[in-house]
Amino acid sequence: MTKFLSFPKDFVWGCASSAYQVEGAWNEDGKGKSIWDTFVHAPDHVVNNETGDVTVDHYHRFKEDVPLMKDLNLAAYRFSVAWTRILPSGKGKVNRIGLGFYDRLVDELLNHKIEPYICLFHWDLPQALQDQGGWPNRDTAYAFAEYARIVAERLSDRVNVWFTHNEPWVAAMAGYFAGQHAPGIKDGKKAFQALHHLLLSHGLAVESIHAAAKQPVRVGIILNLNPVHPASESANDRAAAARMDAVINRSTLDPLLKGTTPIQEFSIGKLLSGSLIKPTDLEKIRTLDILGVNYYTRTVVKNDRKFPIVAASQIQPEGNEYSGMWEIYPEGIYEILARIWWDYHPKCDLMVTENGIPVPDGLDFDGRVRDERRTRYLRNHLHQVHRAISDDIPIKGYFHWSLMDNFEWAHGYGQRFGLVHVDFKTQERTIKDSGRWFANVIHENGIQVDGE
Ligand code: FCB
């Protein structure tokens, strides 16, 4: 027996992408260098030393890509703006050609009745600002607010939904602590400084966007959140899970939704908090019309004193399927949405802004991409989103990551996340079977699942 689960009437269905991962044209039309341009051009940062110099060439091909979105029945498209196209040195002189690109993209989307959702920062900080210290430098937060104002002034007559940041936690920790992402720094203190300034810049930019907006707009932020589970029921593992949860979830949720921070709970936080967090910062950060949740997996940890800051280390539990990057755990999307709703009682809208799976897809002999695995992943996760909605948690939308296969950061082109397959040599686009399935879900505004 199967049953049909309907989503709310005004539920927003979309796909997400980011500038560096899809645009290419890395040094065209006056664009400045970002930290990702620098990072990929140095050896051994990305698998096979691949770069986003060209990637899927969306900068030149957006007129071909928007109709693909239409074929998928998308109501909304979430993309990010490359700061270095607008302000090549991060601040100062504005590059009109760069603004013009996003202007044309927004018009193209609207002409196809697709609502643009803009994100202002998806990790591609101007290199010129990194040269002055990057996110660990408080001045970067003010530069960001000014950049946000410039973009809002130009596009807010047509764009209603704005996100300041995508996954500030990843930008800070992968970029300044683990060093796997640009700018490739490995310094715990800098990472926490970066995280605080990213959050502060959110608060400052919310103000500058609302002040510049040509009409009432909604401004939010996007967080990567994972439920954290203990490896065992022992008191030590449970305490380790609570510490990890404070570091990876509460470090962004608490400031944004409660105006507090768990950072003093850590030895490094005690060193930093006095000088780093100024008296009014937390109040500034706590401002949000929409919270976007990116969900991919859960984190399972055991007590482990060898690891700095959290004294916990991640384990890969048995029993579930894994993808090329993570354990597949659909219940986690329900858990995290329910936890935000019941623990924080957010006054803002809540939506899923990324969810997806890498699958090593290729074209079959007849030109089709039979990616059943992605369809199964999607159905199982959407089932859990529906479960949250049935529990009266008002989830407003779901954005799949990603529209097209693209440059997956340090993994290069090896991990394909798209509903649309891209042949990276010819740039040919092919809608995968999962894309057709998703288009039908949107058309019917619901999913078919097993059950009574
Ligand atoms: C998220 C990022 C996105 C993409 C997916 C797979 O953390 O926001 O750019 O890399 O993971």
Side-chain angles (χ1 to χ4, degrees):
M1 275 288 279
T2 60
K3 65 177 172 183
F4 184 75
L5 305 177
S6 300
F7 282 77
K9 198 167 64 1
D10 49 359
F11 195 75
V12 181
W13 295 99
C15 275
S17 75
S18 86
Y20 188 73
Q21 292 178 278
V22 301
E23 285 180 3
W26 75 283
N27 58 359
E28 281 181 45
D29 293 341
K31 177 180 168 295
K33 242 194 198 176
S34 81
I35 55 173
W36 271 93
D37 295 319
T38 309
F39 190 70
V40 299
H41 290 144
D44 302 329
H45 285 149
V46 176
V47 173
N48 300 325
N49 290 322
E50 286 162 347
T51 76
D53 289 359
V54 177
T55 177
V56 296
D57 199 28
H58 180 68
Y59 186 78
H60 297 116
R61 294 170 193 260
F62 71 95
K63 290 209 163 162
E64 176 187 338
D65 294 336
V66 174
L68 278 173
M69 300 175 201
K70 200 70 217 164
D71 290 346
L72 293 178
N73 293 330
L74 303 187
Y77 176 57
R78 182 196 138 207
F79 61 94
S80 80
V81 173
W83 187 340
T84 50
R85 287 199 197 283
I86 312 301
L87 293 151
S89 311
K91 49 189 170 188
K93 198 166 164 354
V94 174
N95 175 30
R96 297 278 149 204
I97 314 182
L99 269 175
F101 168 66
Y102 297 105
D103 210 59
R104 291 196 303 281
L105 175 59
V106 163
D107 284 344
E108 195 67 18
L109 290 164
L110 292 172
N111 286 339
H112 285 79
K113 302 209 168 13
I114 296 169
E115 187 171 2
Y117 276 43
I118 285 189
C119 176
L120 288 163
F121 186 75
H122 201 125
W123 308 350
D124 44 357
L125 181 72
Q127 181 61 45
L129 295 185
Q130 182 55 39
D131 295 344
Q132 293 160 42
W135 286 112
N137 178 352
R138 193 175 167 98
D139 294 346
T140 304
Y142 293 89
F144 179 73
E146 173 59 8
Y147 151 63
R149 185 192 64 73
I150 292 164
V151 184
E153 207 152 73
R154 176 69 174 257
L155 300 177
S156 62
D157 58 335
R158 285 153 291 155
V159 178
N160 301 306
V161 180
W162 294 75
F163 291 106
T164 53
H165 288 287
N166 175 76
E167 303 188 352
W169 191 88
V170 175
M173 296 302 155
Y176 294 89
F177 178 59
Q180 300 140 338
H181 282 185
I185 290 170
K186 295 183 182 163
D187 180 333
K189 189 168 163 199
K190 284 206 164 87
F192 278 92
Q193 290 169 332
L195 181 61
H196 179 63
H197 295 143
L198 279 152
L199 293 174
L200 174 65
S201 79
H202 159 79
L204 299 171
V206 170
E207 259 173 44
S208 68
I209 295 167
H210 280 306
K214 305 259 160 60
Q215 51 156 341
V217 295
R218 291 186 298 146
V219 190
I221 196 166
I222 294 161
L223 302 177
N224 58 298
L225 298 167
N226 304 352
V228 182
H229 294 167
S232 77
E233 280 313 307
S234 76
N236 277 346
D237 284 351
R238 278 190 283 133
R243 289 193 296 275
M244 184 66 100
D245 179 58
V247 169
I248 70 176
N249 296 317
R250 287 179 47 220
S251 60
T252 49
L253 283 172
D254 288 9
L256 287 157
L257 295 175
K258 289 206 319 206
T260 60
T261 173
I263 156 171
Q264 286 93 347
E265 293 173 22
F266 298 95
S267 47
I268 194 158
K270 285 199 195 84
L271 287 177
L272 284 169
S273 51
S275 55
L276 180 66
I277 305 179
K278 309 269 183 246
T280 57
D281 286 3
L282 288 171
E283 232 1 87
K284 283 213 172 75
I285 293 169
R286 187 190 186 185
T287 167
L288 215 51
D289 304 319
I290 311 178
L291 176 61
V293 175
N294 291 355
Y295 174 78
Y296 289 93
T297 192
R298 66 171 167 169
T299 302
V300 183
V301 297
K302 64 172 190 207
N303 184 46
D304 190 341
R305 294 280 150 195
K306 283 197 302 297
F307 279 78
I309 306 174
V310 271
S313 62
Q314 196 175 349
I315 63 146
Q316 303 300 344
E318 298 296 330
N320 286 321
E321 267 189 275
Y322 281 76
S323 73
M325 283 164 67
W326 296 298
E327 184 196 11
I328 300 173
Y329 185 70
E331 295 82 356
I333 198 167
Y334 171 85
E335 287 173 29
I336 202 72
L337 293 169
R339 188 258 181 111
I340 294 169
W341 189 249
W342 300 119
D343 283 9
Y344 290 90
H345 309 288
K347 306 267 181 305
C348 60
D349 284 347
L350 198 54
M351 52 170 59
V352 177
T353 35
E354 279 184 32
N355 176 233
I357 178 178
V359 181
D361 305 308
L363 300 188
D364 291 335
F365 74 98
D366 55 357
R368 248 174 77 185
V369 182
R370 292 171 170 81
D371 58 337
E372 295 90 359
R373 198 167 193 213
R374 180 171 292 101
T375 303
R376 191 163 70 242
Y377 177 98
L378 267 165
R379 180 188 281 110
N380 291 339
H381 284 75
L382 285 172
H383 194 167
Q384 295 292 328
V385 173
H386 190 273
R387 183 179 154 209
I389 295 170
S390 308
D391 282 357
D392 292 330
I393 304 171
I395 312 299
K396 301 286 184 196
Y398 174 94
F399 285 68
H400 182 261
W401 183 271
S402 183
L403 173 70
M404 292 179 278
D405 295 338
N406 60 49
F407 177 77
E408 180 47 38
W409 308 113
H411 298 275
Y413 293 97
Q415 303 290 344
R416 293 176 174 270
F417 275 92
L419 294 175
V420 177
H421 179 272
V422 181
D423 179 325
F424 297 121
K425 291 207 182 69
T426 63
Q427 295 293 351
E428 196 179 336
R429 277 88 159 124
T430 307
I431 296 182
K432 301 178 189 178
D433 281 7
S434 61
R436 301 201 182 283
W437 180 84
F438 193 57
N440 192 49
V441 168
I442 300 175
H443 176 69
E444 295 185 338
N445 198 34
I447 52 169
Q448 203 81 45
V449 295
D450 290 336
E452 304 288 282

